[in-house]
Amino acid sequence: MDHNATNGNKTILSKIAVEVPLNPPFYKPIAKEIEVFEHTYKNKLPVLLKGPTGTGKTRFIEYMAYQLGKKLITISCHEETSSTDLIGRYIIKGAETIWIDGPLTKAVKEGAIIYLDEIAEARPDVIVAIHALTDHRRELFIDKLGETIKAHRDFMLVASFNPGYQKGFKELKPSTRQRFIAVSFQYPSPKIESEIIENETGVTEALARKLVNIANKIRNLTELGLTETVSTRLLVDAAKLIHSGLPKRLSVKVAVVEPLTDDEEITTALTDLCDLMI
Ligand SMILES: Nc1ncnc2c1ncn2[C@@H]1O[C@H](COP(=O)(O)OP(=O)(O)OP(=O)(O)O)[C@@H](O)[C@H]1O
Ligand SMILES: [Mg+2]
């Protein structure tokens, strides 16, 4: 669901998705993250999923919400995301002013899992708003109503964070980070990564392995100075194109090489390397 709201003369676009998948999401565990999450859920501790792009953070929370039978409310945070977007606002309807709960307030009341994707991107007042929800108080203060609400016993807060994303990236303050149990996502082992690719796309094991080998080769080329390297997502995308009939080399070029860099020399070097390996 796309939710548009107006704040003064500025239009805020907050992407809010309430996900209730029909089929169980496919998720392949990388380490002990499922076990850790089950215990954080039992103890209703907030969780921070950290790791580079395309390493399965979103898929993991979708999977966990499904397994636990919980509604998942996802907010994709960006630099304009404010506490008002999350908590709620008054809107004018005819001659009346009515209060509308924001997604966070809804999740707190209903006992859903709220997923604040890329939390570091949000405005600082978002961090302030969640403070009392991330400690023993488990409460949300709605300043515009002058009300404090206690979280439903099933409410859980999950956030994601991509450390060292790019130059001038936003950091999370230690006082914020230390409110979360942190689960780190990394590129999986070759065996697991190729199983993910096979499962997601239906390509053969041999082809999945080749894609994983390409990825690991590029991941080790640290001298290229890429901001982010080949993610599992890119490999899945390449495999999808190949599976649907696009030539292998072209698929790898457009799905793996081109998204990584705009530098012509690096593009040529990586394309040559991939052509040899696929
Ligand atoms: N462990 C995994 N099990 C199943 N699929 C995975 C796994 N890891 C990655 N994938 C695949 O990679 C794709 C990208 O993963 P996902 O969207 O969860 O990444 P992310 O960490 O949330 O990235 P971003 O930081 O960009 O939001 C998924 O759609 C899925 O195809
Ligand atoms: Mg994600």
Side-chain angles (χ1 to χ4, degrees):
M1 166 173 85
D2 267 1
H3 163 96
N4 300 350
T6 317
N7 178 11
N9 52 9
K10 212 185 267 173
T11 298
I12 297 166
L13 289 171
S14 281
K15 244 181 137 199
I16 299 164
V18 180
E19 286 138 27
V20 188
L22 292 176
N23 299 314
F26 164 73
Y27 180 76
K28 183 105 193 144
I30 310 291
K32 297 272 183 230
E33 66 276 25
I34 294 181
E35 212 177 322
V36 170
F37 196 91
E38 281 166 354
H39 283 271
T40 53
Y41 181 71
K42 239 192 242 169
N43 290 283
K44 300 297 160 347
L45 292 167
V47 175
L48 183 67
L49 310 179
K50 50 177 197 166
T53 185
T55 43
K57 301 182 293 295
T58 296
R59 182 61 68 84
F60 173 70
I61 189 62
E62 287 168 1
Y63 172 82
M64 289 314 305
Y66 186 90
Q67 290 300 322
L68 297 166
K70 301 303 304 171
K71 184 164 140 189
L72 175 66
I73 302 179
T74 299
I75 315 285
S76 304
C77 300
H78 53 76
E79 62 223 358
E80 294 283 332
T81 308
S82 68
S83 60
T84 302
D85 296 331
L86 265 54
I87 294 174
R89 51 168 46 89
Y90 279 109
I91 61 160
I92 298 165
K93 206 170 183 194
E96 271 183 298
T97 313
I98 55 166
W99 172 259
I100 304 280
D101 279 344
L104 178 61
T105 309
K106 277 192 195 138
V108 165
K109 286 182 177 170
E110 293 171 13
I113 298 179
I114 187 125
Y115 180 45
L116 303 178
D117 205 357
E118 295 280 352
I119 190 172
E121 293 296 319
R123 292 197 346 205
D125 62 345
V126 167
I127 308 288
V128 176
I130 62 168
H131 257 208
L133 277 173
T134 52
D135 57 33
H136 65 280
R137 291 171 287 175
R138 283 177 56 81
E139 56 190 34
L140 177 67
F141 177 58
I142 307 180
D143 58 347
K144 292 199 175 77
L145 300 177
E147 259 176 40
T148 299
I149 52 171
K150 279 270 171 213
H152 185 287
R153 69 186 162 82
D154 288 349
F155 168 77
M156 190 171 171
L157 196 149
V158 182
S160 81
F161 172 55
N162 187 327
Y165 188 52
Q166 56 199 22
K167 273 207 196 85
F169 64 91
K170 294 188 183 157
E171 255 300 348
L172 277 181
K173 284 194 296 190
S175 57
T176 304
R177 292 176 68 121
Q178 292 200 18
R179 292 172 167 270
F180 291 87
I181 300 294
V183 181
S184 174
F185 285 71
Q186 275 308 330
Y187 308 115
S189 69
K191 183 170 177 293
I192 292 180
E193 193 162 37
S194 85
E195 280 170 21
I196 293 171
I197 299 167
E198 284 170 62
N199 226 298
E200 287 283 281
T201 67
V203 297
T204 62
E205 188 191 341
L207 180 68
R209 284 282 179 158
K210 275 189 190 169
L211 290 169
V212 171
N213 287 343
I214 289 177
N216 284 319
K217 187 88 187 167
I218 299 176
R219 286 169 189 161
N220 288 326
L221 295 175
T222 45
E223 65 272 23
L224 294 182
L226 300 169
T227 342
E228 295 245 340
T229 183
V230 188
S231 65
T232 307
R233 174 186 291 133
L234 295 188
L235 298 183
V236 167
D237 291 348
K240 279 182 182 162
L241 296 182
I242 295 172
H243 192 62
S244 79
L246 195 70
K248 284 183 201 164
R249 289 182 172 181
L250 180 56
S251 300
V252 172
K253 182 161 199 272
V254 296
V256 177
V257 178
E258 294 286 359
L260 286 182
T261 179
D262 297 319
D263 183 294
E264 265 181 47
E265 268 177 43
I266 298 179
T267 304
T268 311
L270 290 182
T271 306
D272 290 349
L273 174 81
C274 293
D275 285 355
L276 275 177
M277 292 184 72
I278 192 75

